[in-house]
Amino acid sequence: MGLKISPVDDADLTPRQPPAINPALVTMNNNGFAWRDFLVRLPAECVADDLKEPSLWRKVQTTQNSLRRHDHLYIVSFDESWIAEAIVADADRNRAILARPRITTFPERFDALFQDDVYRVIWNGSGYCVERKADGRRMTQPAATPQLAERELVLLHPQKSGQ
């Protein structure tokens, strides 16, 4: 009775491909004389290690905000738990290479976002939304503040008529 080992599936060995950054999430903060500053919001699937992959920027490089050597980037993770500050070392039409991104992790939120038995307020990358706990479905459009999202959460519950 030996140990039975299942064969390794080739799909398990393929390297993970980082998602391309949506050009709409790259915002120029400053267009200086020598370099430009950008704010970049990463998609939910991105991890800090993806910043090493030059192809991450392939969609951005075909837009008016295409990155050039010496541009400065302030990169924000989707859940805003960490940021990276980087300088573009080299770039062409298909890729951009960052020179040693400096990662800074943020502490946990001081105040937890509101939730009840059915719904919870979440950050979705562009604002605060209400999500149904049962299936993870987003129930509202993004709001600018958690307080506005809380208000929308309360309105999702049935209200008694004024009689």
Side-chain angles (χ1 to χ4, degrees), residues 31-129:
N31 190 358
F33 292 106
W35 63 78
R36 302 170 301 164
D37 294 306
F38 290 95
L39 169 69
V40 179
R41 290 197 174 272
L42 295 177
E45 307 84 36
C46 267
V47 295
D49 201 45
D50 290 340
L51 299 177
K52 297 177 186 175
E53 181 59 45
S55 66
L56 183 71
W57 307 96
R58 62 187 175 272
K59 289 183 180 178
V60 175
Q61 291 304 95
T62 61
T63 67
Q64 68 182 6
N65 281 339
S66 63
L67 304 176
R68 300 187 295 230
R69 188 178 186 117
H70 300 292
D71 282 349
H72 293 212
L73 306 178
Y74 185 86
I75 303 165
V76 181
S77 70
F78 181 81
D79 63 358
E80 295 189 344
S81 63
W82 58 270
I83 60 105
E85 296 171 282
I87 297 173
V88 178
D90 197 14
D92 62 21
R93 292 186 52 87
N94 300 314
R95 63 194 176 126
I97 299 169
L98 305 183
R100 280 206 186 178
R102 185 176 68 209
I103 308 290
T104 304
T105 55
F106 285 4
E108 293 289 325
R109 291 185 60 92
F110 180 71
D111 52 342
L113 294 175
F114 181 76
Q115 61 180 320
D116 63 15
D117 295 339
V118 181
Y119 303 109
R120 70 175 143 243
V121 175
I122 61 162
W123 170 258
N124 82 336
S126 62
Y128 295 92
C129 299

